Amino acid sequence: MLFHKLYSSTLGIGFIKGGGTIAAAVCGICWYLAWSGGYPPLWPSVIITIAITLAGVWSSSVVEAIWGKDPSKVVIDEVAGMAIGLLFLPVNVKYLLCAFILFRFFDIVKPFYIRKMEDLPSGWGIMADDVLAGVYTNIILQAVVWWNLF
């Protein structure tokens, strides 16, 4: 159980006020430190993101039984969503900041069926809304890169 509490709260970040925002920021910083100055390597970044997401579904399902439905302590969903938002993008400060702002916007406002994802059962519902927020973030930033908007 300790593993699931630590993992789903991203090593305790979920216990801090504003934990979701902090977890997304920590993900962005780690992404930058790992792969700054170009594009992240394709397979490692995809495999790590999928692993974070699937383990997040598992762990959030386990802790939901003790912490209740979609507990605010679970912030691994923000980490997964932010990582999805950053996939296949150049790793530099401007894209990281844009991804962070867009991801948090989509995660908080929950437009375009994002809120509907919360209706999925257990850990899937906890994770899926942030996954979709990350997908929307990535689509917008891919367009920005494609059209060289900045």
Side-chain angles (χ1 to χ4, degrees):
M1 184 57 73
L2 179 61
F3 166 79
H4 295 293
K5 288 179 179 178
L6 285 172
Y7 188 79
S8 65
S9 70
T10 310
L11 300 177
I13 292 173
F15 293 95
I16 302 169
K17 184 174 173 69
T21 300
I22 295 167
V26 167
C27 176
I29 291 166
C30 290
W31 198 271
Y32 181 80
L33 292 174
W35 294 310
S36 66
Y39 283 84
L42 178 65
W43 289 114
S45 62
V46 170
I47 290 168
I48 289 168
T49 301
I50 290 170
I52 288 169
T53 304
L54 293 177
V57 170
W58 177 42
S59 283
S60 59
S61 293
V62 171
V63 298
E64 186 179 51
I66 56 173
W67 287 342
K69 183 160 175 53
D70 202 358
S72 61
K73 295 174 194 157
V74 173
V75 295
I76 194 64
D77 52 338
E78 274 82 9
V79 174
M82 184 69 181
I84 290 166
L86 293 169
L87 281 173
F88 319 118
L89 291 169
V91 181
N92 60 46
V93 173
K94 65 183 174 184
Y95 288 116
L96 285 169
L97 287 175
C98 287
F100 177 76
I101 291 166
L102 282 169
F103 173 71
R104 291 307 294 154
F105 168 79
F106 286 125
D107 187 30
I108 293 166
V109 176
K110 300 190 186 305
F112 311 118
Y113 297 102
I114 292 175
R115 185 165 313 280
K116 189 76 174 150
M117 296 290 105
E118 293 176 331
D119 294 339
L120 293 171
S122 197
W124 292 104
I126 293 170
M127 297 293 292
D129 64 317
D130 294 279
V131 166
L132 190 54
V135 168
Y136 288 157
T137 297
N138 195 281
I139 289 169
I140 290 170
L141 289 176
Q142 291 296 336
V144 168
V145 170
W146 178 264
W147 284 303
N148 199 22
L149 297 178
F150 63 80

